[in-house]
Each structure stands twice: as C-alpha cells, then as structure tokens.
Amino acid sequence: MSPTRLGLPWPASAERGEDGAVRVAGIDLRTLAEQQGTPAYVLDEADFRDRARTLRAAFEAAFGAVDIYYAGKAFLSVAVARWAHEEGLRVDTATGGELAVALRAGVPGADIGLHGNNKSDAELTRALDAGVGRIIVDSLPELDRIAALVRSRGGEPAPVMVRVTTGVHAGGHEYISTAHEDQKFGLSIAGGAALDALLRAVELPELRLLGIHSHIGSQILDPEGFTVAARAVLALRAELAARTGLLVPEVDLGGGFGIAYLPGEVPLDPERMAKDIAAAVSDACADLGTPAPRLSFEPGRTIVGPTTLTLYRVGTVKPVRLDDGRVRTYVSVDGGMSDNIRPALYGADYTAALVNRTGTAETVLARVVGKHCESGDIVVHEVQLPADITAGDLLAVAATGAYGRSMASNYNHVPRPPVLAVRDGSARVLIRRETEDDLLGLDLG
Ligand code: LLP
C-alpha cells in the first residue's frame, strides 16, 4: 500500500504513509512535533508558491496584464512576503505593521499597496517614504490629509485609489462582508460619497488618482458578486470620465475568493472566476463605450489558507452525554481559540484528523476544544474521529493558514505557536514559538 494523499482541504503534499502517520512535504508530523513541539502551524511552501503562481497564471490568461496583490492580513511573515513577490505577486498591506514586514522582506515600495479605514499620519508618512505603489483611500478627509502631507514634504504626487462600496454583499459571515452600506469601509456609490471623493481626488494636485477599489467580502464561493460589483465600479469610472475628462486607468476588485474548509467542499476555481470577471468587465466596458482598465485583485485566503495545518497534541478526552442521548467526545488539544479564533468569532467549521497513526476503524462523534477558560473555546465543532483517540495522540486541523496565526492572541497568557515552513523533506521556522519570557518581557511589574 503506497501513501495516500489526503486531498483538500489539506495542504497539497499531505499524505498518510503505510505506517498510518501523516507527512507534509515528506516530513513526518510525529518528528516535527518532537523537534518543534506543539501546537504549531505547518505551512507547505510549495503549495503556497503553486497557489500564487496558478492564480496569477489564470488571471493573466483571462485579462492579459493584471496585478495580483497578496493580502498580507491573511498571513504575513518576511519569508511569505518574499515568496509572494518571487512568484510575481505584489503585497497588499492594511497597517503600518504589515507594511513594515513587506519592506523588511525587500518588497519594493512600488509593489506594495496600503489600505486602512483609519490610517495614522505615521502610517501615511511611512507609506510615502517607502514610495508605495498605491494608497487606497477610505474617506474624504483622508484625501486632504494625504495631500497636506505631500505638500509639506514636497515630492511627487501620491498615487491613490478610492475605495467604494457597490452595495454587493457577499461572503460567509456578516462580519466578513465589507461592501454593504452600513459598515465602516469605503465610500458609497449609491449615496454619492464615492463620486464626491473621486472628484476631490481629481482636484488635488498632490494626488495622482490611479483608480477605483472595491472589496465585496471574504470566503465567497460564487463569482456573481464580483461581476455585479465590477459593473457598478466601471459605470462610476465612466461617470467620473464624463464629469472630468479623466478616465482612471485602474480598477481593483479586491480579494475574497473562497476555499474548502471541509472534505467535499468545492473552492472557487481561479480560472472560472477570472474568465467570468473578464467577460463581465469587457461587456460592461463595451456598453459604456470606455476602454477596459488595468485590473488588480487582492486575494489572501485562497493563496495561504489551504497550505497550512495546525498540529496539536491531544490531552484530556472526555465523553459527554447529550440531551438526545448521543455521546459527544470532547477532545482537548494544547491550543485553542488563541491560535484559531475563527470558530468562536464566525462559527467557522474545520475538519481534523489523527495524524500520528490511523486509529481504529470505528469512529465517534467528537468536538475538538482548546485549553482556554471559556466554553466557546471550540476548534472543530463536529468531526468523526477514531474511537481510540487518546492523550498523547497528534491531531491536525486543516486549512488554518488564513486568519489563523494572523488573528492569534495571548488569551490566558498562552504563547502563540510557531509557523514552520516545510519543503522537500525539511522544516524551517518562519516565526518562532512565543515564550513565557516574551510575554513577561512586556509586563513591567
Ligand atoms: N482586500 C481587502 C480590502 C480586504 O479587506 C480583504 C480582507 C482582502 C483583500 C483579502 O480577502 P481574502 O482574499 O483573504 O478573503 N478575518 C476574516 C476575514 C476578514 C477579511 C478582511 N478583509 C476571516 O477570518 O474570515
């Protein structure tokens, strides 16, 4: 019997060997756990690079020239920013901190975008110092603030895009959806604020208006939202041109491409996505009588999400009798909501597997929980696990690469896990494990 690929939602190279143990990029997770401890995020580097490359190729095939910005909020480290850039992506940052990582990675300023609904002067100044390729402006006052900074510093006009809301609401959860109107991001097309901001941007000589930006949500599994948003943005672009004579050269349609979290879930296919959006853009531009803009996108989750699993050590295993008579086995692991807040925050579903051995064929209804002082500290709501799962076993949770480490906390003074990149049979620590000394070092007594 040869090794069996686990397939989605697991990292591309994850396979179960004849001995029952799972390997990623040829590395036995038992060895990794022994050498690096648990919990740990295990990231398949080749999978990350392939995903970045495949997505870029699909979009280039559909659009010709196109810019793909890797959304660093999903997960950013110096190495990952470098990989993204090596694979021909630019880097989208949402704060001064993310910008600092991208710059530390050696990504040229021109290939970085800066977002944020509440950027500080320090963040804007840093972006201007770095010569970022674009600042995505989120309010009318921000336009004036950037213009004032440019005026006081001298130098070239700042390249800006204006973030608008199209009214399209897409994605998995209300808090993840960012383009409906009653929320903090962007300027409403329907309400007229978007056009006002664009007109203001055209007026200010300290700004170079590159284009219009729209991000409609996250974990989207249907291309339709993007095509509707694209039409709204392109109509606005045409209206601005009619009013000012300036046809802005660029349109960014954001990120949000959904992935598989559970076995059998079908992720959004980049090729189909790219084709559908390209068709909608060229139809809309033909109708409007405007040449097509240069398109850009900002995917995060779809590139990094599936590349990573979280490796935990099983501790307490406790059967709990439910009201309906069923028994649910609570499997506690050595991490929890501090390394993956998504189940608690969004009700997100994940899957888990025993990875140090196969276990018995008989399975039990299990819930994977963490070690935090909170009953909502759930890692996997419901999963079938081998009935003989026991303390000391290794359990992995799939598809934790996006918004796992990047949203991790130190709740209960639990140090955050390391991020280990695996590739061609070896592992490398991208971000080391936090220690109690790291935490106590912040506490001045
Ligand atoms: N561009 C902008 C302007 C965004 O706001 C986001 C995500 C992205 C790109 C990348 O979206 P992605 O391709 O990764 O879906 N913490 C939530 C997701 C929040 C997304 C925020 N914005 C989660 O864990 O599901």
Side-chain angles (χ1 to χ4, degrees):
M1 201 181 80
S2 52
T4 336
R5 280 278 138 131
L6 298 190
L8 281 179
W10 297 94
S13 69
E15 56 185 20
R16 195 178 286 279
E18 289 169 37
D19 55 1
V22 171
R23 288 163 184 78
V24 185
I27 300 190
D28 190 321
L29 293 176
R30 295 172 299 189
T31 315
L32 204 57
E34 238 159 67
Q35 291 173 348
Q36 303 286 348
T38 54
Y41 303 100
V42 181
L43 193 172
D44 180 342
E45 176 178 347
D47 196 10
F48 181 98
R49 289 181 180 272
D50 283 350
R51 294 184 147 271
R53 215 177 301 131
T54 308
L55 190 107
R56 184 166 67 86
F59 278 74
E60 281 175 356
F63 290 97
V66 64
D67 299 310
I68 308 291
Y69 287 75
Y70 170 61
K73 69 201 80 188
F75 172 64
L76 199 61
S77 76
V78 168
V80 157
R82 225 172 253 152
W83 300 345
H85 198 250
E86 284 167 5
E87 298 304 336
L89 273 51
R90 301 178 180 213
V91 179
D92 163 42
T93 64
T95 61
E98 290 180 7
L99 177 58
V101 178
L103 291 171
R104 172 75 63 86
V107 179
D111 290 345
I112 301 176
L114 178 68
H115 266 279
N117 67 300
N118 188 25
K119 302 177 193 78
S120 66
D121 281 350
E123 286 173 317
L124 289 171
T125 301
R126 190 175 205 170
L128 294 172
D129 286 347
V132 299
R134 58 194 209 179
I135 299 174
I136 296 90
V137 174
D138 207 79
S139 72
L140 205 52
E142 188 185 342
L143 289 169
D144 291 302
R145 287 174 55 219
I146 298 173
L149 282 173
V150 172
R151 221 171 294 131
S152 70
R153 303 155 48 90
E156 296 290 304
V160 299
M161 296 186 96
V162 170
R163 180 164 174 179
V164 303
T165 55
T166 57
V168 178
H169 169 132
H173 188 282
E174 193 196 348
Y175 301 146
I176 318 180
S177 304
T178 46
H180 52 300
E181 309 288 337
D182 188 8
Q183 45 87 8
K184 67 176 183 169
F185 289 111
L187 292 144
S188 162
I189 296 182
L195 185 61
D196 289 347
L198 289 164
L199 291 170
R200 181 80 185 133
V202 173
E203 253 170 36
L204 289 165
E206 297 84 0
L207 305 183
R208 182 160 56 92
L209 179 61
L210 295 177
I212 307 175
H213 185 288
S214 151
H215 171 78
I216 57 171
S218 202
Q219 185 54 14
I220 300 167
L221 291 165
D222 176 357
E224 169 122 23
F226 291 97
T227 59
V228 175
R231 279 192 284 273
V233 169
L234 291 166
L236 176 65
R237 174 174 176 258
E239 190 179 352
L240 179 69
R243 295 277 287 263
T244 64
L246 175 71
L247 185 67
V248 290
E250 296 186 32
V251 163
D252 190 301
L253 293 176
F257 312 152
I259 63 166
Y261 280 97
L262 302 177
E265 269 181 349
V266 181
L268 199 48
D269 171 36
E271 214 167 301
R272 159 151 178 248
M273 201 39 221
K275 277 191 189 142
D276 283 9
I277 301 174
V281 167
S282 73
D283 286 356
C285 286
D287 289 349
L288 294 161
T290 51
R294 184 176 179 107
L295 264 287
S296 55
F297 295 87
E298 296 171 340
R301 187 191 314 265
T302 189
I303 293 174
V304 73
T307 66
T308 302
L309 58 78
T310 310
L311 184 60
Y312 299 102
R313 180 81 65 186
V314 172
T316 308
V317 176
K318 189 193 284 182
V320 174
R321 189 162 297 279
L322 307 181
D323 288 344
D324 61 10
R326 287 182 305 161
V327 171
R328 201 199 302 280
T329 302
Y330 275 73
V331 176
S332 297
V333 294
D334 51 356
M337 65 195 302
S338 56
D339 59 70
N340 189 359
I341 190 66
R342 299 191 71 259
L345 195 54
Y346 311 122
D349 286 322
Y350 286 85
T351 191
L354 188 61
V355 292
N356 55 314
R357 61 189 179 93
T358 312
T360 49
E362 188 202 339
T363 62
V364 289
L365 173 68
R367 172 165 289 175
V368 182
V369 295
K371 62 179 289 172
H372 294 278
C373 270
E374 189 154 331
S375 48
D377 174 24
I378 293 169
V379 179
V380 181
H381 290 98
E382 207 155 89
V383 60
Q384 292 288 330
L385 289 174
D388 64 345
I389 189 163
T390 187
D393 274 332
L394 290 171
L395 192 78
V397 174
T400 55
Y403 308 105
R405 179 59 170 76
S406 74
M407 291 174 82
S409 76
N410 293 121
Y411 184 36
N412 294 137
H413 278 245
V414 171
R416 288 175 296 175
V419 180
L420 313 173
V422 292
R423 175 186 164 170
D424 299 334
S426 63
R428 170 176 155 215
V429 181
L430 299 190
I431 297 182
R432 72 159 168 81
R433 184 183 303 286
E434 234 167 14
T435 63
E436 276 177 12
D437 282 345
D438 289 329
L439 300 184
L440 283 167
L442 300 173
D443 185 332
L444 302 188

